[in-house]
Each structure stands twice: as structure tokens, then as C-alpha cells.
Amino acid sequence: MVARAVVATPAPFYASVDLRNSGFKLAPVDTNLFPAGFNNLNIAFMPLCVQAIQAAVERVCPRARRVLIVAENHTRNLFYLESLEVIRLVFEQAGLEAKVGSLRDDITATTIIDLPSGKQCVLEPLSRNGDRVAIDDFSPCLVLLNNDLSAGRPTILEGLEQQLTPPLSAGWSDRKKSDHFRHYDAVAREFAEQIDIDPWLVSPMSVQCGEINFMDRSGNDCLVKNVDKMLADIQQKYDQYGIDKAPFVIVKADSGTYGMGIMTVKNADELATLNRKQRSKMASGKEGLVVENVLVQEGVYTFETIGDENAVAEPVIYMIDHFVVGGFYRVHTSRGVDENLNAPGMHFEPLAFAQSCITPDKQEQPDAEPNRFYAYGVIARLALLASARELAALS
Amino acid sequence: MVARAVVATPAPFYASVDLRNSGFKLAPVDTNLFPAGFNNLNIAFMPLCVQAIQAAVERVCPRARRVLIVAENHTRNLFYLESLEVIRLVFEQAGLEAKVGSLRDDITATTIIDLPSGKQCVLEPLSRNGDRVAIDDFSPCLVLLNNDLSAGRPTILEGLEQQLTPPLSAGWSDRKKSDHFRHYDAVAREFAEQIDIDPWLVSPMSVQCGEINFMDRSGNDCLVKNVDKMLADIQQKYDQYGIDKAPFVIVKADSGTYGMGIMTVKNADELATLNRKQRSKMASGKEGLVVENVLVQEGVYTFETIGDENAVAEPVIYMIDHFVVGGFYRVHTSRGVDENLNAPGMHFEPLAFAQSCITPDKQEQPDAEPNRFYAYGVIARLALLASARELAALS
């Protein structure tokens, strides 16, 4: 119990981490603190989620018997709603009563949505009562945020006396990817030192470019300079390890998600010749968030392929508290090994991991499934630790 | 974190609970704080064990990176050694280096035993160095006891500066079943009040008889009187619920395990007519422990049967820390519904639960597998809570 007190950077309540595995390098490229996609996990590992939720609730609000889940605003994305219902069911199986509240103005009464799985998602309007939010008289001490706040911090959630987790500061209105990857890089260095490897093997180079306006092209010089330098730095690493591939960087919004405002660049000249459509796409993130700061990040090839079609795959790892509860492959049949696979409108197939990420097998080869999944879990936990430090610094 | 401080009765490190399900009553009949049988759990739920061990270690010794497991003394019971190796592997998968130490005088060097599963069990001699035990220079801060101390508290384990868990006081040299069931009865009453049921439905009547010597028959009068009274009390409950069955009681040693010194009694007269062999069997428990105190406990029919042969089955639930990690049916093809099934020399088949005990399904019937297993887990957790209180009172 004494030891608990030293946890200055507790794990976020939950997270998902997108990884890229190029064989020579395994690195996180995005850490989501309001994960969706729980419906893509292997149902065989739902007990792991239930157990982890019990531990997580015990840590943040040990007497909680009920939880209010605050949803994302997109009510027509049935995949999202499936995920939401899985989270709600996990809470129920963990012994808590769980309801889903919506911030949307047009959800003014209980709204029941039939889901493809046969389940139903029940969305209810959220109301504010003094320093508490509620669904009617359902106003538990624990409020779980599953909305990444791309549209800003909602007034209704400010200054709650209830335990809001993750905190508002974990949303994209406060959080910056560049902060995350700065913390991640430090974590990766500490880790690499312990096992005596080059930290580059698990950490993507990242640099922030501020004050970019894609529409009027201001700040473009800075961007070109940073992209140029990073491409050269990557080339140097590729030379060091004898990797015969073309370096590339990813340029993305420093805040936000959903694969909007993301660009693959192999040559800085490409930035000078963006057409209007490309610039406009970069200029706005989810829900109209204007891109001002961008993150220039080393592109990591993904050389995992799935099936006869050799579809490009990238692993996504899910964590609840500090436990790795599962993962899946995001499989893309129409994208390249150097492209972002989390793209709206593009077709991707989730392929649930057949095995857990926490049962490595010393009798098997290092890249056998249990061991590869374990390695994913290790890197994802490093990203989780980075997020824990990131949130501690924000609060 | 504040809430952690209120845990005055932390869960034991691990436990297994034998249950009996008569349809009208579901009750624990034995709570083992040094569980074996981990090899009988469904391998699909090993990740649950790994995750729970991580949480358990974090609680008792958060900085532990290694663990020394102190084994039972029976080295020829390969089933036990299989269980031991499963526990060791779970620790390894949880990220700890784990070795098994033996208290046996005849284990003077590293002893490798081939197991039926193809695994190996490595037993090493335990040595004492000041206030620490070690295997050579392997002397971790965490020492896990998997020996129920039926032979008494070993001097080599007294007064360690290392974290010994469960503590020596959890062994049968200190612990009494009558204490456990006294605590259990209180827990069951609190639980029953919350869900408004008769506590008898989840708790077996229990009473201790002291100073019994089966060989010279001293104390027999007290035993006969208690058995008589309990049979009448059970009959009264059976009348209340319209149960057309003959009441029976179990007479067993108040300390000890392994189904030795256990007797089914339907009529107190049977106690007067025990032959020499029966009395001698009751008089000594495991490793020559002389039976002095006995527990008279309400017998709970088991009406669960498995397979075409309708073999009698009783559920056994496994817990690590306060998490239910799995269970199996102890299936007996040659014993009756009113007999103890944990009997040495008798044939039993473990049948691993196909589903977890923590994923109840509201869409299914109350006695559908996920819900039945969940109910087992609930009752097992009540027994675990009783043990937590029992240990707090002993320490």
C-alpha cells in the first residue's frame, strides 16, 4: 500500500496504440486516449477486459457501483456505437451499472439504435445539475469520457465534482501529439538503455512545426526545412543498418485524430506543389478543427501483410489501466506499405489477434505469434507510460 | 490511492474454493489458501492468470522482479508438480523470474522432474542466509508459499525480512476451518441481506467439536450431540423449503486438507459403531497431523452431473488476488451425491470450465453456463473475503 503512493504518473484509464512494424523497427505512431474499436477485439479475451476494468475502477474510484459513459458525437457510425456498447457491457460484467450519455444537442430523449451485431445502443441526453452531470437521476461518482474533445472542452463537463476519467486535459483541445512523442522518446531511451539497443529501433523521430497555414502557405518554409532534415536523418539510420528503402515522413495535425490531415512525404518538394484540394484537406481536422501546428514524424514502413492478397496490416493494441487486453490488425487491401491506414472512407478489415499479448512463449521463435504480440504489447505499454507522463504534465 | 488505505483485509495472494451446488443451495465447503490444480484450468484463460498475478504482485511487493516459490513436500505427485510449473510459468509471463524451492531434506541439489505434459519441473534446495531464504544467490524480495504447512511452520521460513505471502499463519498449523466458516457465515449474512435472501442458501451450517480422539473415543459424546442437533437443524430447513432429501453432515479435521479424515454421517449412531480402520483413518490427517478438533459441517448435496454416466461433479474456483481466474469441475464416476469428492486414491477427472467466471450474460437463462459459472465466482469471492478477514484476525 505504501508503494501505491509512489505512482506519480498513473496509467490513463484506457488507451489504444497504433503500431508500425517494419521488421527492422517497431514503433507507435498514434496513442488514442479515448479508444473506440473494442468491438474488434477477440471475444475470447473479453474476460481480460472485465478484469482490467475492475482493477481500473478500483484505482480511480474504488466505491463506484455505476458509471456514466460520455460518447463521441457521431451517432451514425455504427462501428463506433458497437464499440461503445462493448465498453458498456464490460462495465456491466465487471459489476457496475453503466449508461451512455450524449453531448449532442439533437439527442433530447432516450435514443435506441439497432446495431449490426444484433445489440442495441442506448444513447441518453446528458444534463448538468450543480457540479454533477447526470442522465435523469443517474449521476454516478464515475464519469468515463469516450469523446476525444476535438470540438473543444464542453462546458457541461467543466468543474465536475464527479471523477471524470480521462480528464478533460487528455482531449485534443489540450493535448498535442508532439508532447506525446517527446515523452515517448524519453521513455524509449530509458527502455533501450535497459536492454542495450538503439532507441531509434522503437521510437519514430518527431518534430513539431508551429504556425502552419496550408491555405495561405505561411510557415511552409519551416515545414520544408524540417521535412528535408528528417528525411536526411532517416537516410543516415537506413545507411547505418543497411536498409535499402526510401525514407518517408508523415505530416499530420499536432492535435486531432481520424486520419484527417495526414500526408506521406518522400521529398520536401512535394510540399511546394500541393494543389488546392490537398491543402484544404490538410487544413482542417475532425469537426472543423483548424490545423495550426503540425507534427513531422518519421514514416515507419509496415511490412506485415495478411492473407493471399498480401494486404498491408498494422497492429493496434488496446489497454485498460496498465493492462494489455488485446489487439487487432488494421488490414488495408488498397493502401501501400508507406501510407497511413487509419483513413476514413477507405476500406479496412479488423483482424482480431487470435492470442493474447501477455503470454509470450520462450519455446517458440521470437517472431512466432505469441512473442510478436507480446512485443507489440511491450511497445504499446511504453506509449502508455509516455501518455501517463504527458497527462501528469498537463494537469 | 486514498481508498487503498482502507483495505484492512486485503485478499489472500491466491486461493481455490470447493463448492457444492445442490440446485436449492450453493455453498463453499473448503477454501484452500495454497492452491494446487492450476494445471486443470482452461489454457484459454491463462492470460487472466497472468494479468491477475501482475496485479497481485503489484499489491504485495510492487518492485518485485523475481519470485521464489516454496513448494509442497510431495515430489512424486506429478499432478502437483504440473500445477507448480503452471504457477511458475504464469509468473514468468507476467515478467518475473521465478524459481521453485523445496523444503525437503532429500532435495540437496537441483532436481529436474519430467512431467506428463512434456514440461519439466525444476526443484532446488532452499537455504537460509541471515533473515533471507534463497536458492543459491537467488534471494528475491517476494517469496510465495505453495505449501500448506500441515507438517508445521518450518523454522527456515520464520522471521524472514522478505515478503512471504501468504503468511505462515495461513498454513494449517495455525488455521482452523471452523474460524474460516465462522467468518464465512458472517460474510454470507451480509451478502444475503443485500440481495434479500436466506443466508442458509449460500452458507453451510458449521460447528467445531474440540478435544476429539477417535482412537480412544474421548469426546465422542460431544460429537454425537452436535451431529444430532445439526441433522435436526438441516431437516428443519429442508422442511421449510420442501426438500425431500435425507440431511447429512460431514465430519472433518478442523485443520488440514487432502480429503483425509473426512466422513459423511446421516445418523449420529454411525459414530458409535465406527470400526478400528474407520477410526484410525479419521485420527490422522496429512503428514501425520493428529486430529484433535473436528468440524461438523452441514453436508450439501451436489446435483451437478456430467456426461452420459451422470458422474457427480463439484465446481472448484480459482482466484488470484481478488480476481476469479477460472475453475473446473471435479468429476467423480464412483462417488455419491452426498460424498466428499476430494479423496486421494479415488479417480476424479478435472473438467475445465469452457467459459470464464466473470462474463455473465443477461440474455441467457440464470442457469446457463456463463451465469452458473458467474454465480460460482460470486460465492467463491465471498469465501475469499472470509479468508481475508480470517487472516487479518490471525496476524
Side-chain angles (χ1 to χ4, degrees):
Chain A
M1 289 177 213
V2 175
R4 272 278 164 180
V6 303
V7 181
T9 55
F13 191 89
Y14 51 9
S16 67
V17 177
D18 292 357
L19 300 173
R20 304 275 290 193
N21 177 11
S22 67
F24 56 86
K25 176 164 189 160
L26 173 61
V29 294
D30 198 13
T31 301
N32 188 347
L33 298 182
F34 303 96
F38 278 96
N39 52 316
N40 295 330
L41 299 179
N42 190 334
I43 198 159
F45 299 121
M46 278 302 126
L48 269 184
C49 294
V50 173
Q51 199 182 66
I53 282 270
Q54 285 173 330
V57 169
E58 197 176 323
R59 186 167 59 73
V60 301
C61 196
R63 292 175 187 281
R65 300 170 71 168
R66 304 187 302 172
V67 59
L68 197 167
I69 304 168
V70 178
E72 283 288 351
N73 289 346
H74 32 74
T75 51
R76 295 213 185 81
N77 182 339
L78 297 180
F79 297 110
Y80 173 69
L81 298 180
E82 292 274 14
S83 171
L84 205 53
E85 181 58 13
V86 169
I87 297 172
R88 204 191 63 78
L89 280 172
V90 168
F91 272 105
E92 279 212 339
Q93 291 182 318
L96 284 84
E97 191 184 355
K99 295 189 179 200
V100 179
S102 175
L103 295 168
R104 283 179 71 107
D105 292 338
D106 57 352
I107 301 283
T108 54
T110 299
T111 306
I112 300 174
I113 300 155
D114 290 314
L115 302 178
S117 65
K119 296 195 190 96
Q120 289 186 322
C121 181
V122 180
L123 294 174
E124 301 187 76
L126 212 59
S127 60
R128 175 90 178 210
N129 207 333
D131 288 341
R132 302 181 74 89
V133 280
I135 295 170
D136 297 326
D137 57 357
F138 183 84
S139 181
C141 69
L142 181 61
V143 180
L144 181 78
L145 200 55
N146 194 247
N147 181 312
D148 68 12
L149 310 182
S150 290
R153 295 166 67 124
T155 314
I156 194 174
L157 297 179
E158 293 281 4
L160 293 181
E161 66 175 40
Q162 290 150 302
Q163 173 81 44
L164 179 67
T165 187
L168 290 180
S169 58
W172 284 126
S173 43
D174 293 61
R175 206 179 155 218
K176 290 197 186 330
K177 289 174 187 168
S178 51
D179 285 339
H180 176 69
F181 283 102
R182 192 167 41 76
H183 285 289
Y184 180 79
D185 200 56
V187 169
R189 280 171 201 281
E190 293 164 37
F191 174 75
E193 197 181 321
Q194 282 189 34
I195 61 168
D196 197 21
I197 59 166
D198 179 353
W200 177 76
L201 297 173
V202 295
S203 184
M205 300 174 192
S206 306
V207 65
Q208 191 202 39
C209 268
E211 306 295 307
I212 304 285
N213 186 324
F214 282 96
M215 294 320 283
D216 71 6
R217 301 185 193 234
S218 64
N220 209 40
D221 292 351
C222 162
L223 184 59
V224 167
K225 201 185 68 188
N226 279 318
V227 167
D228 247 352
K229 177 170 187 317
M230 190 173 286
L231 287 169
D233 290 344
I234 301 169
Q235 185 62 59
Q236 202 175 356
K237 279 292 177 186
Y238 280 15
D239 291 346
Q240 179 186 340
Y241 289 101
I243 295 158
D244 187 19
K245 289 280 159 195
F248 68 102
V249 301
I250 299 287
V251 177
K252 52 187 170 186
D254 201 15
S255 297
T257 181
Y258 287 85
M260 298 175 90
I262 295 191
M263 198 167 41
T264 298
V265 184
K266 288 190 173 169
N267 187 320
D269 295 346
E270 297 167 33
L271 293 168
T273 58
L274 291 180
N275 62 32
R276 190 175 169 83
K277 188 178 160 206
Q278 289 168 313
R279 285 185 287 126
S280 142
K281 197 174 157 195
M282 285 305 290
S284 68
K286 184 189 166 208
E287 295 185 17
L289 191 75
V290 172
V291 174
E292 286 181 335
N293 294 309
V294 302
L295 179 71
V296 177
Q297 187 164 63
E298 175 189 353
V300 181
Y301 282 96
T302 185
F303 288 143
E304 288 207 71
T305 56
I306 301 277
D308 296 336
E309 296 177 66
N310 287 322
V312 175
E314 65 184 31
V316 189
I317 301 295
Y318 282 71
M319 287 164 294
I320 295 175
D321 199 278
H322 59 321
F323 300 106
V324 180
V325 295
F328 59 86
Y329 280 114
R330 186 178 285 133
V331 182
H332 235 296
T333 48
S334 53
R335 284 230 157 181
V337 293
D338 56 359
E339 285 181 291
N340 168 45
L341 301 190
N342 189 10
M346 302 289 291
H347 171 79
F348 85 84
E349 294 272 351
L351 180 71
F353 291 172
Q355 300 190 43
S356 90
C357 299
I358 57 172
T359 45
D361 188 341
K362 284 186 180 176
Q363 311 301 316
E364 295 211 51
Q365 294 297 311
D367 69 342
E369 272 200 354
N371 297 327
R372 199 163 71 237
F373 293 166
Y374 182 70
Y376 295 162
V378 169
I379 301 302
R381 278 182 278 180
L382 297 182
L384 189 75
L385 177 54
S387 280
R389 293 183 182 179
E390 186 192 348
L391 291 186
L394 277 172
S395 69
Chain B
M1 291 178 211
V2 174
R4 271 278 165 183
V6 303
V7 181
T9 55
F13 190 88
Y14 51 9
S16 67
V17 176
D18 293 356
L19 299 173
R20 303 274 289 191
N21 177 10
S22 66
F24 56 87
K25 176 164 188 159
L26 172 61
V29 293
D30 199 12
T31 301
N32 188 347
L33 298 182
F34 303 96
F38 279 96
N39 51 315
N40 296 330
L41 299 180
N42 190 334
I43 198 160
F45 298 121
M46 279 302 125
L48 269 184
C49 293
V50 172
Q51 196 183 67
I53 281 270
Q54 286 174 330
V57 168
E58 196 177 320
R59 186 167 58 74
V60 300
C61 196
R63 291 176 188 282
R65 301 171 71 169
R66 305 187 303 172
V67 58
L68 197 167
I69 304 168
V70 179
E72 282 288 352
N73 288 346
H74 34 72
T75 51
R76 293 211 186 82
N77 182 339
L78 296 181
F79 297 109
Y80 173 69
L81 298 179
E82 292 275 15
S83 170
L84 205 54
E85 181 57 14
V86 169
I87 297 172
R88 204 192 62 77
L89 280 171
V90 168
F91 272 106
E92 279 212 338
Q93 292 182 319
L96 284 85
E97 190 184 356
K99 294 190 179 199
V100 179
S102 174
L103 296 167
R104 283 179 71 107
D105 292 338
D106 58 352
I107 301 282
T108 54
T110 299
T111 305
I112 301 175
I113 299 155
D114 290 316
L115 301 177
S117 64
K119 296 194 190 99
Q120 289 186 321
C121 181
V122 180
L123 294 174
E124 301 189 76
L126 214 58
S127 59
R128 175 89 179 211
N129 207 334
D131 288 339
R132 301 181 76 87
V133 281
I135 294 169
D136 297 327
D137 58 356
F138 183 85
S139 182
C141 69
L142 180 60
V143 181
L144 180 79
L145 200 55
N146 194 246
N147 181 312
D148 68 12
L149 309 183
S150 289
R153 294 166 69 123
T155 315
I156 194 174
L157 297 179
E158 293 281 4
L160 293 181
E161 67 175 40
Q162 290 149 302
Q163 173 81 42
L164 179 68
T165 188
L168 291 180
S169 58
W172 284 126
S173 42
D174 292 60
R175 204 178 157 221
K176 290 196 187 331
K177 289 174 187 168
S178 51
D179 284 339
H180 176 69
F181 283 101
R182 190 168 41 77
H183 284 289
Y184 181 78
D185 199 57
V187 169
R189 280 171 201 281
E190 292 164 37
F191 173 75
E193 196 179 322
Q194 282 191 33
I195 60 169
D196 197 22
I197 59 167
D198 179 353
W200 177 76
L201 296 173
V202 295
S203 184
M205 300 175 193
S206 304
V207 65
Q208 190 202 39
C209 269
E211 306 295 305
I212 303 286
N213 186 323
F214 281 95
M215 293 321 282
D216 71 7
R217 302 185 190 232
S218 63
N220 209 41
D221 292 352
C222 161
L223 184 59
V224 168
K225 201 185 67 190
N226 279 317
V227 167
D228 247 352
K229 177 171 187 319
M230 189 172 287
L231 287 169
D233 289 346
I234 301 169
Q235 185 63 59
Q236 202 175 354
K237 279 292 177 187
Y238 280 15
D239 292 345
Q240 179 186 338
Y241 289 101
I243 295 158
D244 186 20
K245 289 281 160 194
F248 68 102
V249 301
I250 299 286
V251 178
K252 53 187 170 186
D254 201 16
S255 297
T257 181
Y258 288 85
M260 298 175 90
I262 293 190
M263 199 165 44
T264 297
V265 183
K266 288 192 172 167
N267 187 321
D269 295 345
E270 297 168 33
L271 293 168
T273 58
L274 291 181
N275 62 30
R276 190 173 171 84
K277 190 180 158 203
Q278 289 169 313
R279 284 184 288 125
S280 142
K281 198 173 155 195
M282 285 306 290
S284 67
K286 186 190 166 208
E287 295 186 16
L289 190 76
V290 173
V291 174
E292 286 182 336
N293 293 309
V294 302
L295 180 71
V296 177
Q297 187 163 66
E298 175 188 353
V300 181
Y301 282 95
T302 184
F303 288 142
E304 287 207 72
T305 56
I306 302 276
D308 296 336
E309 297 177 64
N310 287 321
V312 175
E314 65 182 31
V316 189
I317 301 294
Y318 281 72
M319 288 164 294
I320 295 176
D321 200 277
H322 59 321
F323 300 106
V324 179
V325 294
F328 59 86
Y329 280 115
R330 186 179 285 133
V331 182
H332 235 294
T333 48
S334 52
R335 285 228 158 179
V337 292
D338 55 0
E339 286 182 289
N340 167 46
L341 300 190
N342 189 9
M346 302 289 292
H347 171 78
F348 85 82
E349 295 271 353
L351 180 70
F353 292 172
Q355 301 192 42
S356 89
C357 300
I358 57 174
T359 45
D361 188 340
K362 285 185 179 176
Q363 311 301 316
E364 295 210 50
Q365 293 298 310
D367 70 342
E369 273 200 354
N371 298 327
R372 200 163 70 236
F373 293 167
Y374 182 70
Y376 295 162
V378 170
I379 301 301
R381 279 183 277 179
L382 297 183
L384 189 77
L385 177 53
S387 281
R389 293 182 181 180
E390 187 192 347
L391 291 186
L394 277 172
S395 69

